[in-house]
Amino acid sequence: MHLMTECMRWFGPEDPVPLSFIRQSGAAGIFTSLHQIPYGEIWPLDAILQHQRAIDAAGLVWTVVESLPVHEDIKTGRGDLSRLFDNYTTSLRNLATAGIRTVVYNFMPVLDWVRTDMRWPLPDGSCSMHFDPVRLAAFEIHALNRDGAKDDYSTEQIRQAGHWWKQLAEEDKEVFVRSIIDVFPGVKWSLSLNDIREMLAPYEGIDEAVLRANLARFLEAILPTAEELGIRLAIHPDDPPFPVLGLPRIVSTATHIAEIFDIADSPSNGLCFCTGSFGSRIDNDLCAMVSRFGSRIHAAHLRSTRLLPDDCFLEAGHLAGSFDMAAVVHALLDELDTRRSSGAEEWQIPLRPDHGHIMMDDLGKPEGITPGYPAIGRMRGLAELRGVMHGLRHRIEKAPNKCTATPSLPPEVFPRVHRHP
């Protein structure tokens, strides 16, 4: 029975969810990064191997790099690009030396992702992440004071944003602002609002066409090395998949993905298929996207978003969103089979459950949870996705309504207990 490789994300030694817990979830692989290294600097081989040894010692495998960050100067087309490109290719060579050949990256300007609520209460008592454009308008207009922000919102959204902001206590405003500007995965940079303003400034005058041209320049510089090393680069879609903070988006739709693949028709120019990001737009047909771009999907983030009125959305249970997750998994398994039947050397698609609800014991750990990455909620998500995969495979590979005998468990699972008289 051939299934996608089950993985989990790990943020390194400081992650409140240790590798030992991840192994107990049933995952076999790890998506991880060297978060301690500043963006644009070389990943030394020794640091890569040390990280890899820690994962190996836990009985897991470093399957996917997530992410090898792209420096903001590359996205804006400014600064010493030759040095940044050289550093990136050197890091790729060091990763290949360690045998790691699937590398996720993103091309989102300034912020990797945006939510307006990190602990949105759900009817069952668990908490989710939530996006509300009215609250983002409050951040942009009343906290960040971004020039032109009001042009991006309706009169009613601006009115509601002002009312909501006014009724917040000062300490609640600080918590809200921090939740937006300081959620870079795996790192705490303690950014200020002024830092965000300075990061936004270089994007003045950069639209979709310019940002796409800068991505093309990056790929043209990096892909020859990736192809030489057999590395599969996988771009992550925008999150959310529409403009925020007045910034352009170029990885949000099927049209965007086709444009990126037109830059270079190479297996090294691939996609990290994030169902949560793509699923936050009602006009994205996820199954059609898997069918169209399947051969270039090098990794998968599986999570569900539920679209709500007024352009809001929340992170739903992994099987409870606004799209059919089981159908998407089916399409990915079909792609897996196509690769294997063609004799492709790289036929696997590593997946991880992306994000998860804060639930059960994790509800009492507000300071001990990386936003989006609680242990229990992700384990529930992985279990649900595993069940979908096994159910689909059983339906395909077994005769209908015919059960087979359950094989006996090997002795190492339940070792024999020797009772002494």
Side-chain angles (χ1 to χ4, degrees), residues 224-238:
T225 299
E227 291 170 340
E228 172 197 337
L229 300 170
I231 282 180
R232 306 189 300 173
L233 295 172
I235 193 166
H236 187 284
D238 303 319

Side-chain angles (χ1 to χ4, degrees), residues 221-357:
I222 301 304
L223 281 174
T225 299
E227 291 170 340
E228 172 197 337
L229 300 170
I231 282 180
R232 306 189 300 173
L233 295 172
I235 193 166
H236 187 284
D238 303 319
D239 188 9
F242 44 79
V244 294
L245 304 178
L247 297 166
R249 295 300 215 192
I250 59 170
V251 198
S252 297
T253 67
T255 298
H256 287 159
I257 302 307
E259 291 169 342
I260 292 167
F261 290 165
D262 283 344
I263 293 171
D265 184 13
S266 166
S268 292
N269 181 24
L271 174 66
C272 176
F273 194 77
C274 179
T275 57
S277 294
F278 287 132
S280 299
R281 286 182 65 120
I282 197 169
D283 55 341
N284 279 335
D285 183 335
L286 272 63
C287 289
M289 293 174 77
V290 173
S291 297
R292 181 177 178 183
F293 304 121
S295 65
R296 305 280 277 277
I297 294 174
H298 298 330
H301 293 173
L302 301 185
R303 63 179 168 92
S304 288
T305 46
R306 185 179 305 152
L307 305 181
L308 303 171
D310 302 318
D311 298 323
C312 299
F313 67 82
L314 62 77
E315 305 267 10
H318 284 74
L319 305 182
S322 295
F323 60 88
D324 187 345
M325 178 65 84
V328 174
V329 172
H330 198 166
L332 288 167
L333 290 174
D334 285 346
E335 169 59 27
L336 203 73
D337 290 343
T338 298
R339 296 180 186 186
R340 291 188 65 254
S341 63
S342 70
E345 182 178 354
E346 295 286 352
W347 57 269
Q348 254 300 349
I349 302 175
L351 71 86
R352 68 171 178 84
D354 198 13
H355 299 176
H357 289 172

